[in-house]
Amino acid sequence: MKRPRLATLLTAAVLALLPTTAHADVTYPDPQPVTGQQIIHDPTVIRLNSGGYVAYSTGGIIGARTSKDRVQWDDAGNAFATPPSWWYDYSSTADPWAPDLSYRAGRYWLYYAVSSWGTNHSAIGVATSRTGLPGTWTDHGKAFSSETTDAWNAIDPALVRADGRLWMAFGSYWTGIRMVEVNPATGKAIPGATVAHLATRPDAPYAVEGAYVLKHGGYYYLFASYDACCAGVNSTYRIRVGRSTSVTGPYADSTGKPMLEGGGDLVLASHGRFIGPGGESISQDKGKDVLTYHYYDANDSGTPKLGLNTLGWTRTGWPIAL
């Protein structure tokens, strides 16, 4: 990993001294330079036990990228050679969205959503692999689902462990971000488990999605993408965060405004050519937290591309992109 530039270090130092406010006027950092296959959407990245990195993303049959150094990325096909048949129950084109990649119990776990635009007839699937590489995944079917009678949307999964238990954040429009407990043995939601409510917006269409929960110090941090994606240079995605001492909330920003009332500190927003950052996930690499996301490149007709930034932490315990 390259050392931060002097300007980045100075920005971090200044931010550490700022009062804890959700409205600090800051300049957002550019993503770290990457080469090779940069086109990606809703990325999730992990450093493999065997060495190198793999990224999975929306598009095709869960698109795959590999890298030796987290800088040069190569196209590696898809997670699956063919779509599992049950996907067609939720998408006529069997097009999966927003994967989440993690490692536990000697296996890599891949969660993903299958749905169609504009409906909450959706499902989250789960697959496992010993290596984490494309072409090695065994699909285990649905981990959780939603129907048009539900007040939530089962897309954008993200797993987190808390106090010896396993939880999955998920959700989108249809009242925002939710969370359900998962059986660690099966990787699937516990039948009848309470669906907690973590974040929403005050007004329809409740535009908050793409959740990721990270434990740091004594808090759980809920990152989410606010506003609209998928419109190229017209996208308005931005990444916000709140925190809680409990994984199921309540989450609030640095001013104390609850995320259930639209609160959330800005972590990253559009700047320069980097439009609509979101679809985020976070991984640990060499002792650092790494924020992974897509942005739309204003210098390349709004093409979605890979964004990577190290996360720093202020002395008051709030994340900043470096």
Side-chain angles (χ1 to χ4, degrees), residues 12 14 39 72 89 92 185 199 237 247 251 277 300 304 307:
V14 170
I39 300 174
Q72 168 67 32
D89 295 337
S92 62
Y237 249 12
V247 72
Y251 287 86
D300 189 14

Side-chain angles (χ1 to χ4, degrees), residues 47-248:
R47 186 177 186 182
L48 298 169
N49 293 336
S50 59
Y53 304 82
V54 65
Y56 290 103
S57 64
T58 295
I61 310 172
I62 307 181
R65 311 280 186 269
T66 55
S67 176
K68 294 180 179 179
D69 56 8
R70 221 184 68 203
V71 176
Q72 168 67 32
W73 290 90
D74 300 312
D75 194 323
N78 298 295
F80 300 98
T82 57
S85 60
W86 70 265
W87 291 7
Y88 290 98
D89 295 337
Y90 294 89
S91 169
S92 62
T93 57
D95 184 20
W97 300 347
D100 174 71
L101 186 59
S102 57
Y103 181 82
R104 61 180 176 82
R107 290 187 291 177
Y108 294 90
W109 295 75
L110 182 67
Y111 287 80
Y112 56 86
V114 187
S115 186
S116 298
W117 197 265
T119 178
N120 65 331
H121 173 64
S122 311
I124 293 168
V126 59
T128 57
S129 167
R130 293 292 181 183
T131 68
L133 293 171
T136 68
W137 293 95
T138 299
D139 190 67
H140 301 290
K142 290 186 289 185
F144 189 71
S145 63
S146 61
E147 298 300 335
T148 56
T149 54
D150 290 318
W152 53 78
N153 193 12
I155 68 169
D156 295 2
L159 275 287
V160 60
R161 283 176 281 189
D163 301 322
R165 298 160 71 180
L166 190 64
W167 303 83
M168 179 169 64
F170 67 92
S172 179
Y173 297 46
W174 286 274
T175 71
I177 306 303
R178 302 279 181 155
M179 177 172 275
V180 66
E181 188 172 1
V182 170
N183 183 327
T186 66
K188 299 182 178 184
I190 295 173
T194 299
V195 177
H197 202 183
L198 306 187
T200 191
R201 304 287 286 277
D203 304 305
Y206 314 108
V208 52
E209 57 190 8
Y212 193 90
V213 179
L214 174 70
K215 178 72 181 297
H216 180 83
Y219 291 95
Y220 295 92
Y221 291 81
L222 173 60
F223 295 77
S225 299
Y226 283 57
D227 298 320
C229 82
C230 313
V233 295
N234 295 316
S235 301
T236 56
Y237 249 12
R238 61 196 68 199
I239 300 171
R240 291 184 177 271
V241 68
R243 72 184 184 185
S244 172
T245 55
S246 169
V247 72
T248 55

